Amino acid sequence: MADVAREAGVSISTVSHVLNETRAVSPDTRQRVLDAMVSTRFRRNALATALVTSRTHTIGLSISALQNPYFANLVHSIEKRASARGYSLVMGDSHDDEAAEAALLGTLLDRRVDGMIIAPAPQSETANIPRVLNDGTPVVLIDRHADVDCDQVAPDNVEPTRLITRHLVERGHTHIAAVTGLAGIQSTDERIRGYESAISSADPAVRSTMVAGNSKAKDAYRAVHKIFANPSSRPTALVVLNNAMTIGSMQALKDLGLTVPGDVALACYDDFEWADVFEPQLTAIEQDVKTMGRTAVDLLIDRIDGQTGPRQVLRTETIYHHRNSCGCTD
């Protein structure tokens, strides 16, 4: 900083004010400082800054299934917003495993991140998240709500799932099966609730079958084989409750020699960027990952900056894409 100050012809404190935006500096002076930083090849010492300010300007992110396009898009949204707000992202995959998540959160705490965004693993609310909150680190939950005292942002799950299931009921299907997600997370419970609500409010003759796909393509593949094992009692419609399971389900139907929507009408929760170029095009619920990621980052930075008050538990809207995998032609 002394080298920059000499080069720019200003005091060290002026250089500090430009770097940290702690006081107004005239545009000409600011530009001289920035030019001097370039010519002297100045780089801020992040560790030294963190020691002085008790801030690292990093956000920890614990999320699962990073290979899933939905979560990859969500991470992109979070990183883009964090960068725009002057924060870097330190992230890892919890693999939806309580022990793996505990280790990851411990690493993030050791790195002294200023706050964390967490997509909670099963059982996370009983130990892992309280551990971070007890440390005093601000936390925002994303994608899944949990019974803990922190800000949370997640999509609506119940009504969208009820909507696509109800649509299949209205199409005249009397046996509608569902491939359900990973047990122990709130989004799975809510989507099951939406499915069951549509079935229970339908004609009593409508049958339901639920088999766990555990939010994985390979498990969904096996679930669909189980659902359609008996040719005499096969459902005529299928609801799949996340995008990874949709891929496994469609592969299983193909291997069973069943066509969509000719033999089986299909609707799913989670959309794909390329869902409308599938044949058939997928009737699907799309989550607003841009709003979800942006909102989570803003909530977290507000807490880092000292905002107090009761927790905010927010729901982001979803978009219903009515295509033709459900058997509709328009």
Side-chain angles (χ1 to χ4, degrees), residues 109-123:
L109 287 174
D110 290 343
R111 288 178 175 269
R112 293 293 185 261
V113 295
D114 294 331
M116 292 191 201
I117 297 174
I118 303 172
Q123 314 308 319

Side-chain angles (χ1 to χ4, degrees), residues 252-273:
L253 290 172
K254 179 181 178 182
D255 291 350
L256 288 166
L258 300 172
T259 63
V260 176
D263 297 311
V264 183
L266 185 145
C268 55
Y269 194 107
D270 280 339
D271 198 30
F272 302 85
E273 287 185 54

Side-chain angles (χ1 to χ4, degrees), residues 163-217:
L163 173 67
I164 56 175
T165 307
R166 181 65 188 173
H167 177 65
L168 295 173
V169 171
E170 292 171 346
R171 289 278 304 162
H173 295 282
T174 57
H175 186 180
I176 303 172
V179 180
T180 62
L182 184 65
I185 58 175
Q186 176 239 32
S187 55
T188 294
D189 295 341
E190 291 183 344
R191 291 173 197 179
I192 290 174
R193 196 188 317 155
Y195 164 79
E196 290 180 329
S197 173
I199 297 294
S200 64
S201 63
D203 186 288
V206 176
R207 296 172 54 202
S208 68
T209 300
M210 286 193 299
V211 178
N214 302 317
S215 300
K216 297 177 181 179

